Amino acid sequence: MKIGEIFENKKTVFSFEIFPPKTTSSVETIYRTLEELKGLNPDYISVTYGAGGSITDNKTIELSSLVKNKYGIEAVAHLTCINSSKEDIEYYLNSLKNNNIENVLALRGDIPADGQMKGEFKYASEIIKNINKYNDFNIAAACYPEGHIENKGMLKEIENMKRKEEAGAAYFISQLFFDNNLYYDFLNKVKAANIKIPIEAGIMPVTNKKQIERMVSLSGASLPKKFTKIMDKYEYNPEALREAGIAYAVEQIVDLISTGVDGIHLYVMNNSYLAKKISGSIETILATENKVY
Ligand code: FAD
């Protein structure tokens, strides 16, 4: 099923994002994780594409296929074009088709440290246009509620979202954020620019301070005082930090759902404990929103 159809039929879409495990971790671990995630009834699971990874040694298709064909959950395979030729991308898309996968998140990818971009497509909008022209995929695109790190201005971000919508993106998934008010300002600007496709809000629960500091340096997301207070207070107590991080994410999600966002995309980082705790806390709220009268 194409994810666009889920947005047409549901008020609030709920999805998870996972990554292909390192080759050293066991197959049983990922099977167990997927079994547990399946029990939480997500609308779909998206699978990341290794940063700077090449098409052929990439494990995204393998894991996406497992999600879709073994566990019966809709899968969205991420794809970055920064290092790939047109032929590589064609190969990747054909492999997706052969694995019955109809959804792709089309990205440019981060510029490598050496500044070298080997791919033929310069921006995500170009690859979206290309995929849309020759293939029958449902295409998701990334958006940045606080602007993209290379181009912090909101005007630039809105212009880029327009380009991606016009190129054929069916919906957006947002970068993680910790301040809902910033997200609502962003949505107002998107609406004023007449961007019509749905936007899923990306939420990442904190599990440790280092991980969040890394994510913040990569994404430029701002941290509200309320949030940094929790991190500072429980920095050396992993269990307390994890539980406080879950509570913070739940509070964010409840506020977002009750404000009427199109969807919640949970960066679960292959951690089914986080997914279970958060899904359990919002189950009734989601069911109420999605009730058909
Ligand atoms: P683009 O939309 O191409 O934008 C990149 C920059 O170029 C922006 O600053 C934009 O303003 C600018 N720009 C775009 N078009 C133009 C133009 N025509 N003229 C001038 N400037 C322009 N990375 C991975 O490696 N693997 C993943 O699996 C992955 N998954 C992600 C999932 C989500 C939900 C998100 C939000 C990000 C993900 N990323 C992933 C990170 C992403 O690859 C980086 O943020 C990357 O730097 C930008 O990708 P993009 O597709 O948004 O690029």
Side-chain angles (χ1 to χ4, degrees):
M1 183 195 271
K2 295 195 164 64
I3 305 301
E5 290 171 37
I6 305 180
F7 277 103
E8 278 165 26
N9 294 307
K10 261 192 148 169
K11 188 149 180 288
T12 320
V13 169
F14 183 55
S15 55
F16 296 137
E17 180 168 312
I18 60 172
F19 57 85
K22 304 262 180 298
T23 41
T24 45
S25 71
S26 73
V27 175
E28 282 72 36
T29 308
I30 193 70
Y31 281 6
R32 201 171 42 245
T33 304
L34 288 175
E35 196 68 55
E36 286 175 344
L37 294 183
K38 182 181 166 72
L40 305 174
N41 272 325
D43 289 306
Y44 72 87
I45 293 181
S46 84
V47 181
T48 64
Y49 185 96
S54 81
I55 295 266
T56 39
D57 69 9
N58 209 285
K59 296 275 179 273
T60 308
I61 296 178
E62 210 177 309
L63 183 54
S64 303
S65 176
L66 208 57
V67 167
K68 166 95 187 190
N69 300 310
K70 183 170 163 64
Y71 291 92
I73 309 166
E74 264 328 309
V76 175
H78 297 203
L79 164 65
T80 70
C81 60
I82 199 149
N83 264 333
S84 310
S85 65
K86 279 189 179 160
E87 290 72 33
D88 285 344
I89 290 168
E90 184 103 355
Y91 169 86
Y92 188 86
L93 295 173
N94 278 332
S95 308
L96 289 181
K97 272 186 216 157
N98 294 338
N99 281 283
N100 201 21
I101 295 160
E102 300 171 83
N103 303 286
V104 64
L105 169 57
L107 302 146
R108 183 199 66 182
D110 285 325
I111 297 176
D114 64 7
Q116 296 288 314
M117 297 203 269
K118 293 181 217 122
E120 284 164 63
F121 298 104
K122 239 174 127 190
Y123 297 116
S125 56
E126 295 175 7
I127 188 183
I128 293 169
K129 198 168 173 180
N130 194 268
I131 297 174
N132 199 33
K133 200 162 159 191
Y134 300 110
N135 299 275
D136 185 25
F137 280 99
N138 184 89
I139 309 166
C143 69
Y144 302 84
E146 298 180 58
H148 184 250
I149 194 104
E150 287 164 31
N151 241 331
K152 280 306 271 180
M154 191 44 64
L155 194 65
K156 291 257 193 282
E157 175 55 20
I158 300 284
E159 277 171 11
N160 196 30
M161 288 174 73
K162 270 246 166 240
R163 276 192 285 266
K164 295 189 204 185
E165 183 183 43
E166 281 161 15
Y171 73 103
F172 288 106
I173 305 177
S174 94
Q175 176 67 279
L176 57 93
F177 59 91
F178 300 99
D179 184 339
N180 286 4
N181 289 329
L182 289 177
Y183 189 70
Y184 299 140
D185 285 348
F186 163 72
L187 290 186
N188 286 336
K189 290 186 177 109
V190 169
K191 199 170 164 199
N194 212 21
I195 291 169
K196 296 244 170 7
I197 58 174
I199 307 178
E200 257 190 294
I203 298 295
M204 179 179 272
V206 205
T207 49
N208 69 66
K209 196 176 174 184
K210 273 217 172 76
Q211 159 229 357
I212 250 19
E213 281 168 352
R214 191 177 151 267
M215 292 315 298
V216 166
S217 76
L218 286 174
S219 69
S222 36
L223 298 178
K225 237 196 163 114
K226 192 168 130 185
F227 182 85
T228 49
K229 203 169 80 186
I230 294 172
M231 287 212 302
D232 292 343
K233 171 100 182 159
Y234 301 115
E235 183 178 356
Y236 300 108
N237 184 337
E239 252 177 56
L241 182 63
R242 185 188 62 196
E243 295 310 307
I246 290 172
Y248 190 92
V250 168
E251 193 185 320
Q252 256 193 300
I253 294 170
V254 171
D255 181 58
L256 288 163
I257 295 177
S258 60
T259 307
V261 297
D262 298 316
I264 303 290
H265 187 68
L266 201 58
Y267 295 100
V268 289
M269 303 159 291
N270 297 16
N271 185 330
S272 52
Y273 175 82
L274 288 182
K276 269 192 273 184
K277 290 280 274 192
I278 294 176
S279 299
S281 303
I282 62 168
E283 195 176 14
T284 310
I285 293 157
L286 263 182
T288 308
E289 283 297 312
N290 288 321
K291 207 174 206 160
V292 182
Y293 291 100

